[in-house]
Amino acid sequence: MATASTAVTVGVVTDGRIERGEQTRRLILRRATEIASVDGLEGLSIGRLATELDISKSGLFAHFGSKEELQLATVRAARAIFVEEVVRPALVVPPGAERLWLLCEGWLSYSRRRVFPGGCFFQAVQAEFGSRPGRVRDAVADAGIDWGALLEVTAAEAGVQDPAQLTFEVVAFLEAANTASVLHDDHAAYDRARAALRARVPAVRR
Amino acid sequence: MATASTAVTVGVVTDGRIERGEQTRRLILRRATEIASVDGLEGLSIGRLATELDISKSGLFAHFGSKEELQLATVRAARAIFVEEVVRPALVVPPGAERLWLLCEGWLSYSRRRVFPGGCFFQAVQAEFGSRPGRVRDAVADAGIDWGALLEVTAAEAGVQDPAQLTFEVVAFLEAANTASVLHDDHAAYDRARAALRARVPAVRR
DNA sequence: GTCGGTAGCACGACCGTTCGTGCGATCGGA
DNA sequence: TCCGATCGCACGAACGGTCGTGCTACCGAC
């Protein structure tokens, strides 16, 4: 999520107002991220999306021009939400151990609060497109790379000895907690993740 | 994978021979697990499966009676393969730290060798059905529960202090390595996983 | 009057599913 | 030893439905 700021979808503005089409587009994409987090980006069908939003299929389709473009836009929208929910809150503190800890806690909260109803949007979509080459997979992979890079840089700023290794382990704990919670309704997994993180992430007043 | 032995699909046998239909069924399921590990259990379409196997769609369908039954049979087939590839080889050594280590190494090898072309079958399918209630989800969740239970029992037998916590962390490392490998072609992730495991899993001659 | 935004409608392809049929092996009775 | 009945298995054709994708027309704001 290094390109955090540019990932935020900014509405087209005229005289300070948001155009009508752009507003519809936002509604579409917000719902699209919710559906995709549960049923995947392939399970996200244009007809179903249109029905749920009380919009004609063709009217919705005109916004994107193809299913692939809808999927790409959905990934971008999910990134923007992720940045807002996890990254931005951590940037209020200066670089260092506290910021690293805020990123971890923010992520666990983002998963636990079900910002996306299916749990972490990116985990769902990564597994779906992991071995299916194409632009969507690349977009999804980029999101993961940027998030890892942010963690790694922050870990380095916190004085961690091996930031790449720590990043691997942190991501592993976070995603395992999300998986256990979504698949087994295992609420305790978040506590286990936190315990594992405490043993790894540099201490800070908590 | 506690019910390992019963999960193995045994062919119907008459006079020591395997009936024709059972053999076809095995071919279908072997291919089904491969497809599903890449495109998911929903992306696994009956028509496509039939085409790839040079079989009529209706003939294939008759073996299962419904798509859901095909999906369930595919999960069972994948369990049998997993047991053969990961669990059984570890059971050759007596309970203890070495068996635990063999399970970890076996899993990493199973992922790295791409026993299923899309990486770990269960990780792909867990993410897909994680928040979609139904019999398929239950079957997938059970597989994860049994695998975790096997790890936890083995960890306890190895004298680990907190087997549940260790199991959480081990599973996290294994799955994170698989994800990084599949999504980012990051071969080094297996080394990172092994490094993380060495710091956690009790030592044994390696 | 222009133009962005939405709706209606139809298309070809593919989906899971059902049906009737045919072929080959097996088996029981003459 | 033959022969008809039965069974397992696979086939092709077709069903209703949904998919993504076009084309055309209307409608409302500037």
Side-chain angles (χ1 to χ4, degrees):
Chain A
M1 292 292 165
T3 59
S5 57
T6 64
V8 179
T9 301
V10 182
V12 175
V13 173
T14 311
D15 299 339
R17 289 177 308 95
I18 298 175
E19 290 179 5
R20 192 160 81 98
E22 184 57 27
Q23 182 143 343
T24 304
R25 202 184 138 98
R26 289 190 185 188
L27 256 67
I28 293 171
L29 288 177
R30 172 72 236 200
R31 181 61 76 104
T33 60
E34 294 171 0
I35 295 178
S37 79
V38 174
D39 292 324
L41 282 168
E42 290 295 347
L44 172 71
S45 88
I46 295 177
R48 175 187 169 191
L49 190 52
T51 301
E52 289 195 15
L53 291 168
D54 262 318
I55 273 183
S56 75
K57 207 167 65 152
S58 53
L60 190 156
F61 184 81
H63 277 276
F64 305 96
S66 77
K67 168 125 196 216
E68 190 180 42
E69 285 301 329
L70 167 64
Q71 292 173 322
L72 291 169
T74 302
V75 173
R76 282 194 295 270
R79 281 185 71 137
I81 293 171
F82 180 87
V83 166
E84 214 58 40
E85 294 282 337
V86 180
V87 177
R88 174 116 60 197
L91 297 185
V92 303
V93 304
E98 189 184 0
R99 179 181 286 183
L100 181 56
W101 187 255
L102 275 184
L103 285 173
C104 295
E105 274 295 337
W107 200 99
L108 289 177
S109 167
Y110 146 85
S111 168
R112 187 164 12 89
R113 284 183 293 121
R114 295 285 188 271
V115 169
F116 300 107
C120 176
F121 172 92
F122 297 97
Q123 194 168 344
V125 154
Q126 270 176 11
E128 187 182 8
F129 279 84
S131 27
R132 248 190 282 184
R135 297 169 62 204
V136 176
R137 176 210 154 121
D138 294 343
V140 168
D142 283 349
I145 288 174
D146 288 349
W147 165 241
L150 172 62
L151 277 180
E152 193 168 331
V153 165
T154 307
E157 289 167 345
V160 170
Q161 62 288 8
D162 189 347
Q165 179 69 23
L166 182 82
T167 296
F168 173 84
E169 300 186 16
V170 165
V171 169
F173 295 146
L174 299 181
E175 302 206 332
N178 183 73
T179 296
S181 168
V182 169
L183 191 64
H184 306 117
D185 295 298
D186 181 6
H187 168 270
Y190 291 114
D191 299 325
R192 270 193 276 271
R194 205 171 286 108
L197 288 169
R198 257 196 292 269
R200 284 292 201 245
V201 176
V204 68
R205 57 149 190 74
R206 291 157 179 162
Chain B
M1 291 294 167
T3 60
S5 56
T6 64
V8 179
T9 301
V10 182
V12 177
V13 173
T14 311
D15 297 338
R17 290 177 307 98
I18 298 175
E19 289 180 6
R20 192 161 80 99
E22 185 58 25
Q23 183 143 342
T24 303
R25 202 183 138 100
R26 289 190 188 189
L27 258 64
I28 293 170
L29 289 176
R30 172 73 237 200
R31 181 62 75 106
T33 59
E34 295 172 359
I35 295 179
S37 79
V38 173
D39 292 325
L41 282 169
E42 291 294 349
L44 172 70
S45 90
I46 295 176
R48 174 187 169 190
L49 189 52
T51 300
E52 290 195 15
L53 291 168
D54 263 318
I55 273 183
S56 73
K57 210 168 63 154
S58 53
L60 191 157
F61 183 84
H63 277 275
F64 305 96
S66 73
K67 168 122 195 217
E68 191 180 40
E69 286 301 330
L70 167 63
Q71 292 173 324
L72 291 169
T74 302
V75 172
R76 282 193 297 270
R79 282 185 69 138
I81 293 172
F82 180 86
V83 166
E84 214 57 39
E85 294 283 337
V86 180
V87 176
R88 175 118 58 194
L91 297 185
V92 302
V93 304
E98 189 184 1
R99 178 181 284 183
L100 182 57
W101 186 254
L102 273 184
L103 286 174
C104 295
E105 275 295 335
W107 201 99
L108 290 176
S109 167
Y110 145 85
S111 168
R112 187 163 13 89
R113 284 184 293 122
R114 295 284 188 273
V115 170
F116 300 108
C120 176
F121 172 93
F122 297 97
Q123 194 168 346
V125 153
Q126 270 175 10
E128 185 181 9
F129 279 84
S131 24
R132 249 190 281 182
R135 297 169 63 207
V136 177
R137 176 210 155 121
D138 295 343
V140 168
D142 283 348
I145 288 174
D146 288 349
W147 165 241
L150 172 62
L151 277 180
E152 195 169 330
V153 166
T154 307
E157 290 166 344
V160 170
Q161 62 286 9
D162 189 345
Q165 178 70 22
L166 183 82
T167 296
F168 173 84
E169 300 185 16
V170 165
V171 169
F173 295 146
L174 299 181
E175 302 206 332
N178 182 73
T179 296
S181 168
V182 169
L183 192 64
H184 305 115
D185 293 297
D186 182 5
H187 168 270
Y190 292 113
D191 299 325
R192 271 192 276 270
R194 204 171 287 108
L197 288 169
R198 257 196 292 268
R200 284 291 202 246
V201 176
V204 71
R205 58 144 192 79
R206 292 159 178 159

